[in-house]
Amino acid sequence: MKHLRKIGILIIAIIMVAAIAVGICVVYAVRNVNVTFSSYSDDEETSTSKIIAIKEKVLEKVRGRVISSISEEDVSSCLDDDYGDYYLESFEKVYPCTINITVQQRREVFAVYDGEKYSVYDDSGKFLRVSESNVNSCDPAPNLIIEGVNSEDEIKEVASICSVFKTSFKDPESQGALRKVVEKVTLKKSQTSISVDSDRIIFSLWCGLSIEIQDYQKYTVEKISKAYKRFCSLSQEEQLKGRIYSFEYEGEEIKVEYNANA
């Protein structure tokens, strides 16, 4: 009888633990997803429909799961297939059963032309879409053309350098918009081992002048900053033509030169 009593107590304990576990799972199961949507479009109807669609897609994946088991990757993966133009900006768990997310539209900036169509990329160099024309989806202005790249890694590299350029090149008329200042960026990789033949990146500005950063992987910020200061020192007429060269001189200092006939 004692053995039966012990077995009975054990069974009751197991049932109680299972009941508690089920209760916890029910209380902490995800039931709500709140979506904040940031878009560059002013179309409220389109934004509302996308909020609803994204919310439903996320709920399909996480509804009923214990909130502690939900990761940021679970949610961001819901955007990868059908909503590649957007990314997960913030992710928050609100216990016991709610997830708050902010979805941000990717900022379309760059385009690579293959002779027939334009491949469009965001400000980080992530591929967005293929287009027949080089027109930004959020405004009628063209995207910034990238030339000389042969891989996605090089596109991302150019995007990274452009981010530095945007920060350093504080043209008051551009209001910080890279596309308002730069028409085209050309990447030129060295084809030889000769020391004077370095990797270069060339910014062709809308005003007519170009800026060449030589050996751009080294002292990038300093070279671009000095190039900007040289640009500011030019007259309005000089800014309409020529090229500014920014380079490392004898491995000791960064020099900047302006050639009006380049």
Side-chain angles (χ1 to χ4, degrees):
M1 292 296 292
K2 289 183 178 181
H3 292 296
L4 291 176
R5 186 178 298 122
K6 289 181 178 179
I7 293 172
I9 293 173
L10 180 60
I11 292 173
I12 292 172
I14 292 173
I15 293 173
M16 289 181 65
V17 170
I20 292 171
V22 170
I24 291 174
C25 289
V26 170
V27 172
Y28 290 96
V30 175
R31 292 191 291 275
N32 305 310
V33 173
N34 297 322
V35 180
T36 300
F37 189 75
S38 298
S39 172
Y40 299 112
S41 171
D42 295 327
D43 189 339
E44 185 175 345
E45 183 177 346
T46 300
S47 296
T48 300
S49 65
K50 285 188 175 178
I51 288 174
I52 294 172
I54 291 172
K55 180 176 181 178
E56 286 302 315
K57 187 162 186 179
V58 174
L59 276 172
E60 283 180 12
K61 186 161 189 175
V62 305
R63 183 190 282 116
R65 291 173 54 183
V66 177
I67 191 170
S68 60
S69 70
I70 307 300
S71 68
E72 188 170 338
E73 289 71 24
D74 289 327
V75 177
S76 62
S77 65
C78 295
L79 304 175
D80 291 342
D81 296 332
D82 300 326
Y83 300 96
D85 286 358
Y86 302 87
Y87 65 93
L88 184 64
E89 184 177 51
S90 68
F91 168 82
E92 178 188 17
K93 299 176 185 178
V94 181
Y95 287 86
C97 60
T98 300
I99 291 176
N100 293 335
I101 64 174
T102 298
V103 177
Q104 173 70 53
Q105 183 179 15
R106 295 187 182 278
R107 186 184 295 276
E108 181 180 318
V109 176
F110 303 106
V112 177
Y113 186 55
D114 64 3
E116 296 181 357
K117 297 180 180 180
Y118 295 89
S119 295
V120 181
Y121 300 82
D122 70 1
D123 55 359
S124 68
K126 179 181 175 61
F127 175 77
L128 295 178
R129 61 188 175 88
V130 174
S131 175
E132 297 287 344
S133 60
N134 183 30
V135 178
N136 191 280
S137 61
C138 297
D139 59 55
N143 287 313
L144 194 163
I145 294 292
I146 297 178
E147 293 183 348
V149 290
N150 298 305
S151 66
E152 289 187 4
D153 286 342
E154 288 186 350
I155 292 171
K156 290 179 179 179
E157 182 181 31
V158 170
S160 177
I161 302 300
C162 283
S163 177
V164 176
F165 188 92
K166 178 181 177 180
T167 302
S168 302
F169 205 92
K170 302 171 183 176
D171 181 5
E173 294 184 0
S174 73
Q175 298 179 340
L178 187 67
R179 291 188 296 122
K180 289 184 179 181
V181 178
V182 185
E183 177 184 7
K184 179 177 67 177
V185 178
T186 305
L187 185 69
K188 292 193 174 184
K189 290 285 190 176
S190 172
Q191 301 300 315
T192 70
S193 59
I194 301 174
S195 59
V196 294
D197 185 17
S198 62
D199 293 342
R200 295 169 288 157
I201 189 167
I202 302 167
F203 297 88
S204 300
L205 310 187
W206 285 107
C207 64
L209 179 138
S210 62
I211 296 176
E212 179 176 312
I213 309 299
Q214 298 179 2
D215 200 10
Y216 61 86
Q217 297 97 336
K218 296 172 60 178
Y219 306 109
T220 308
V221 175
E222 293 86 346
K223 289 175 181 176
I224 293 178
S225 296
K226 284 203 170 186
Y228 169 67
K229 290 179 180 179
R230 186 69 181 94
F231 173 83
C232 292
S233 70
L234 299 178
S235 66
Q236 290 186 348
E237 183 178 353
E238 288 174 324
Q239 291 179 0
L240 300 179
K241 61 181 181 178
R243 178 171 295 187
I244 293 174
Y245 299 88
S246 187
F247 55 94
E248 190 177 358
Y249 180 70
E250 295 184 350
E252 295 180 358
E253 63 175 320
I254 295 172
K255 292 191 67 174
V256 176
E257 296 179 353
Y258 168 68
N259 185 343
N261 300 313

